[in-house]
Amino acid sequence: MLRLAGRRLSSLSWQSGHASSAAFASRNPFTAVDPSSDGRTVSISSSAHSFSFITSFPDQIRGFSSEALAPAQGIDLIPSIPATVAAIKNPTSKITYDEHNHERYPPGDPSKRAFAYFVLTGGRFVYASLARLLVLKFVLSMSASKDVLALASLEVDLSSIEPGTTVTVKWRGKPVFIRRRTEDDIKLANSVDVASLRDPQEDAVRVKNPEWLVVVGVCTHLGCIPLPNAGDFGGWFCPCHGSHYDISGRIRKGPAPFNLEVPTYTFLEENKLMIG
């Protein structure tokens, strides 16, 4: 039953479509060219010919409705490749440039030589200035800061130091021993046989003024701080490993390999010392 109803509906729809096509052809006659009549035009307006026209020329009728919707073949509204790629693939010498707003001068134009020299010289001067600035910044970055420079030197007033006593001051984070020696201390320091010392040095080489001995108070063995006015030789004694230094700061006994270091110092006045 369902198949029979479907067949009837399809036959009815085909008949209604045929009738509407015939009515359209009768109301709108078409003019066609007959190939057998040497180019003469033939008007088709009857219902009998309308069906044959529609069935004979289906492409033409479809053309009327689709011509305005789709572009004809061979016309590309959207190019298949970009314009730059097309220009590279198809080079041409017909490219022209708009030069109405500027002038073009050939290379080496004498009228522009002075300007070119000025630009080149100015650019090189700027480059040289930048290079100099970078070098100065780099060098200054490695120099000591103001707080370090302030600790680089130390002034000491010697007027309050009594003969035979030792004063300890701090310089660059290290202790410095300043000893005011007596006449007996000076004679004892000069009476030592230098050849018998582990680190041979005469007393005159270690002092600028025989009355004043200035040494760094760090043991040369393992960096301990020796005790002043102690030891077997009346100088300094390191209790850590038993190093003995004499009144000139020279190693006389114990494991220390070298004498106490003598820092850089100068006498600003008779009773004023500058260390560093």
Side-chain angles (χ1 to χ4, degrees), residues 8-23:
R8 287 181 180 180
L9 288 175
S10 62
S11 63
L12 288 176
S13 62
W14 180 84
Q15 290 176 3
S16 62
H18 176 69
S20 61
S21 300

Side-chain angles (χ1 to χ4, degrees), residues 4-133:
L4 181 59
R7 290 176 182 175
R8 287 181 180 180
L9 288 175
S10 62
S11 63
L12 288 176
S13 62
W14 180 84
Q15 290 176 3
S16 62
H18 176 69
S20 61
S21 300
F24 174 80
S26 63
R27 290 194 304 267
N28 301 284
F30 296 96
T31 302
V33 179
D34 189 1
S36 63
S37 60
D38 299 332
R40 291 178 296 174
T41 59
V42 179
S43 176
I44 303 171
S45 61
S46 62
S47 61
H49 292 83
S50 63
F51 177 74
S52 62
F53 176 80
I54 294 172
T55 57
S56 302
F57 304 97
D59 296 335
Q60 285 79 349
I61 293 176
R62 285 199 299 270
F64 283 111
S65 61
S66 61
E67 186 70 24
L69 298 177
Q73 296 181 357
I75 302 176
D76 293 334
L77 295 180
I78 301 176
S80 58
I81 58 176
T84 54
V85 178
I88 293 174
K89 290 185 176 181
N90 302 303
T92 178
S93 60
K94 296 181 180 180
I95 300 175
T96 58
Y97 300 93
D98 186 11
E99 300 179 359
H100 72 281
N101 60 346
H102 66 278
E103 295 183 67
R104 296 176 62 88
Y105 294 95
D109 189 0
S111 63
K112 294 294 180 181
R113 188 170 299 167
F115 177 75
Y117 288 162
F118 174 77
V119 171
L120 291 175
T121 304
R124 290 170 182 173
F125 177 77
V126 171
Y127 295 152
S129 300
L130 291 176
R132 174 181 173 275
L133 181 61

Side-chain angles (χ1 to χ4, degrees), residues 17 95 111 117 148 150 156 165 181 195 201-202 204 221 226 245-246 276:
I95 300 175
S111 63
Y117 288 162
V148 175
V156 182
T165 59
R181 300 188 297 183
Q201 269 187 327
E202 294 182 358
H221 180 219
Y245 299 89
D246 64 6

